[in-house]
Structure formats: C-alpha cells, structure tokens
Amino acid sequence: MDFFPSALENLIDKFAGLPGIGRKTAQRLAFFVISLPDGEAEDFARAISEAKSSVRACSICLNLTDGELCAVCRSERRDASVVCVVSDPKGVLAIERSHEFKGRYHVLHGVISPMNNVGPDDIKIKELISRVADGGIDEVIMATNPDTEGETTARYISRLLRPFEVKVTRLAYGIPVGSSLEFADDATLMRALEGRMEI
Amino acid sequence: MDFFPSALENLIDKFAGLPGIGRKTAQRLAFFVISLPDGEAEDFARAISEAKSSVRACSICLNLTDGELCAVCRSERRDASVVCVVSDPKGVLAIERSHEFKGRYHVLHGVISPMNNVGPDDIKIKELISRVADGGIDEVIMATNPDTEGETTARYISRLLRPFEVKVTRLAYGIPVGSSLEFADDATLMRALEGRMEI
C-alpha cells in the first residue's frame, strides 16, 4: 500500500514499531505529527535525539539520569544506608510518588525471566552485590513487581546477600498480587513500605 | 514529578501530546525509544523531520505527496473525469483498498463542523469548486464519512456544484458486507431498505 509518500510511510512504520501501537494508531500519530507547526515537529525529533544521547545510568544506582549521578543519589538528604531495589526506572517513580521512602535505589533493569532468556547475569545484580560489599548499607528493600518473576528475582538476590551484614526486606503485600508497581496507587504503596518484612 | 532526567521528561511530554496517548503510555513509549540502539533512535528522529519537511499537498487533489503530484494524479491510467471527494488522506487509502475506483480524488482536509469551529472556508471546498469550474469533470462522488458532519459537508458541496454540468453522487448506505443484520442499527437498515436494488 504505497499511496502515502515514502517519508510518511516511513514515519508510520516507526510509530508502528513502538510497543502497543498498531498500524491504524501509527497512521493517526504520523498524520498528527506532520500536521504540527514546523517548529513543533522539529522539537519532537530533537526530543528523541536528546533523550537518547543525554540519558545514561546513574553511576551509583543505575537509575536514568543526564548527569553523573541521579537526583536521588545526588541529594544529601537521602539515607545511603537503605537501598530499595526496583526492576526499572518506573519503579523508582512509583516509590517516589508515595513520599514515604528516604533511602536510595538500585535499578536492576530487568527481572530474572527464564521464559524470556533473561538470567541473573543479564540484569544489574552484580552491581548491587558490590554496592553492599562496599559497606555502609544496613538494609536492602526488595521492591520488584509482586509477580512470579519479580518474586523469583527478590528471593535470588536475598540469597546472594545472606553472607553480608545486611537486613533484606520485601515490600509488604499491600500491593495487589499479579499487578504491576507502575499502576499501584500512592496509599497502597505507602502501606506496602510501612509493612515491609524481613525475608 | 522530576525524577527522570529533563531530556526524558521532555520526550515523555512530546509523546503525551499526541492524540490518544496518555501519560503512562507516553512513559512506556519514551522508555522504549531510549532503549533502542543508537542508530534506530536517530532514525526515528530523522523520520519525523523528513516526513514533516518533505510531505506536502498534491497540487491537483491535495492528497499528501512528496512530489508536485500524488501517485494517483501522476498516473495516466486514472480517469480525470471522475473525482471522489474524501475528508482526509486516510479516506483515499480506504477507497484505494477496494481496488474499485479508477478516478481521481479531492481531499477536503476536514469536514464542516460548527461544534469545532470549522466552517466551509476552513476546508478545501473552494479548490474543489474551481477544479470543477475548470471543466473536464463529469462526476463528483461524495465519499465523506457517513456521519452528521460528513453528511452536512456532502450536502453543502452538492448545492455549490448545482450550477455546473456535473453529476454529484454519494456513496451508497447499507449494511456492511460480512456483517449480520442483527447488529445493524436502525438508521443503517432504513437506508439499506431505501437503497434496495433489483437482483
């Protein structure tokens, strides 16, 4: 179907390549973008380039940042002795929204998932262990998603951390089982933090 | 919520500004884009710039094209004496998919919609009238959407075309092929009965 100019077809293809975006939606988005005023379409293109080029992993917690350290690790008010382990940056956002947690994070960038060929070495577990080995951390809160893979990852990590003098806890099941951290409401997340238990 | 680097927040904002894309989806898309290999993210950015800069309106039918004329108007096989009027380029695609129409198009780029402050002068009606006035057109097929606004636009245009020696027709209403009578709404069934044809 080549009734659209090739540059437009190309843009539709790009949108259709995004997760959860079908062909019709991609068309709608591409049409919208080319109908934007010149400056705004350029802004969009530039936003992609800049996000891609400037965003990197925080050298302490591996959360996304545009500097050497992320906002949380940079802050002197945060308690470096408590580390909350999340599977991805959206987890950090979710926990921050609860305004309950004053420690730092560790972003795994994934969970152990044999079905998807993701093993322990494919996510940032080594980096967490070496942070703990370096000392200064009293508690590690496992805040991976409360599903099978998140649970497996949490238990795997807690086993690796046993040799160290560190308390390992898990978010309490205030969060509904089988859902995703990203969609938990603030109050539920707050309860989950309060009720965290040692594993 | 400024826990993400500003370049990433900016990209999320851009995605959230697209029609039908909420904040959570925008986050998901932005994360996906920055997780793409370098080259691919750049390709995406370039696709936007190129689509925006190269796509323009065909000088005859106002369909989108990257040249002076669109593929349909360029083709010598198409019958220039029949013009199918659609509200937007997606209408062209839909009609082309049927492989039934051999004439040319006229893209209105909108429909008359007083609710949205779109009047007859805001869409490409003048251009259609002057095409017809230039001569060489025997039939104008109104193929705007079968809703109130599309219908109003079709009737408005057909009135403007009355002074000219041109047949003005409308796509037939009826039950969609492959559907079930049971699910057809009353208005459609009424139109289907009115438009019944001898077999």
Side-chain angles (χ1 to χ4, degrees), chain B residues 104-138:
Chain B
R104 286 186 174 171
Y105 292 94
H106 184 87
V107 181
L108 293 172
H109 290 280
V111 282
I112 298 173
S113 171
M115 296 275 284
N116 299 310
N117 264 323
V118 182
D121 294 339
D122 298 320
I123 63 177
K124 309 296 182 185
I125 293 180
K126 274 194 309 290
E127 289 79 354
L128 174 64
I129 305 299
S130 82
R131 271 180 83 179
V132 173
D134 287 348
I137 295 176
D138 299 329

Side-chain angles (χ1 to χ4, degrees), chain A residues 1-11 14-15 17-21 24-25 27-29 31-52 54-56 63-66 70-72 78 89-90 92-93 96-97 99 181-184, chain B residues 1-11 14-15 17-21 24-25 27-56 63-67 70-72 78 88-90 92-93 96-97 99:
Chain A
M1 274 188 259
D2 250 20
F3 301 106
F4 294 134
S6 59
L8 181 55
E9 285 287 348
N10 184 30
L11 183 57
K14 295 294 177 203
F15 274 117
L18 298 177
I21 303 288
K24 296 248 166 180
T25 306
Q27 269 182 21
R28 190 161 46 80
L29 298 179
F31 276 109
F32 180 82
V33 167
I34 62 163
S35 75
L36 287 171
D38 273 345
E40 286 182 38
E42 267 315 308
D43 283 352
F44 200 141
R46 205 171 322 112
I48 291 176
S49 304
E50 281 174 10
K52 179 63 194 174
S54 75
V55 175
R56 66 182 98 169
N63 189 14
L64 299 176
T65 176
D66 45 11
C70 72
V72 172
R78 308 293 295 234
K90 280 176 276 190
V92 175
L93 185 65
E96 285 295 297
R97 266 204 319 256
H99 299 293
L181 260 196
E182 193 185 344
F183 303 114
Chain B
M1 277 188 256
D2 250 17
F3 300 106
F4 294 133
S6 58
L8 182 55
E9 285 287 349
N10 184 31
L11 183 57
K14 296 294 178 203
F15 274 116
L18 298 178
I21 304 288
K24 296 248 167 178
T25 306
Q27 269 181 22
R28 190 160 45 80
L29 298 180
F31 275 108
F32 180 82
V33 168
I34 63 164
S35 75
L36 287 171
D38 273 346
E40 288 182 35
E42 268 315 309
D43 282 351
F44 200 143
R46 206 170 324 113
I48 291 177
S49 305
E50 280 173 10
K52 179 64 195 174
S53 62
S54 75
V55 175
R56 67 182 96 169
N63 190 13
L64 300 175
T65 177
D66 45 11
C70 73
V72 172
R78 309 292 295 232
D88 55 50
K90 280 176 277 191
V92 174
L93 187 64
E96 284 296 297
R97 268 205 315 260
H99 300 293

Side-chain angles (χ1 to χ4, degrees), chain A residues 107-151:
Chain A
V107 182
L108 293 173
H109 290 280
V111 282
I112 298 172
S113 170
M115 296 276 284
N116 299 312
N117 265 323
V118 182
D121 295 338
D122 298 319
I123 63 176
K124 310 295 183 186
I125 293 180
K126 276 194 310 289
E127 289 79 353
L128 173 64
I129 306 298
S130 83
R131 271 178 85 177
V132 173
D134 288 346
I137 295 176
D138 300 328
E139 180 177 0
V140 173
I141 305 171
M142 299 305 308
T144 47
N145 282 329
D147 53 20
T148 319
E149 295 168 346
E151 195 64 24

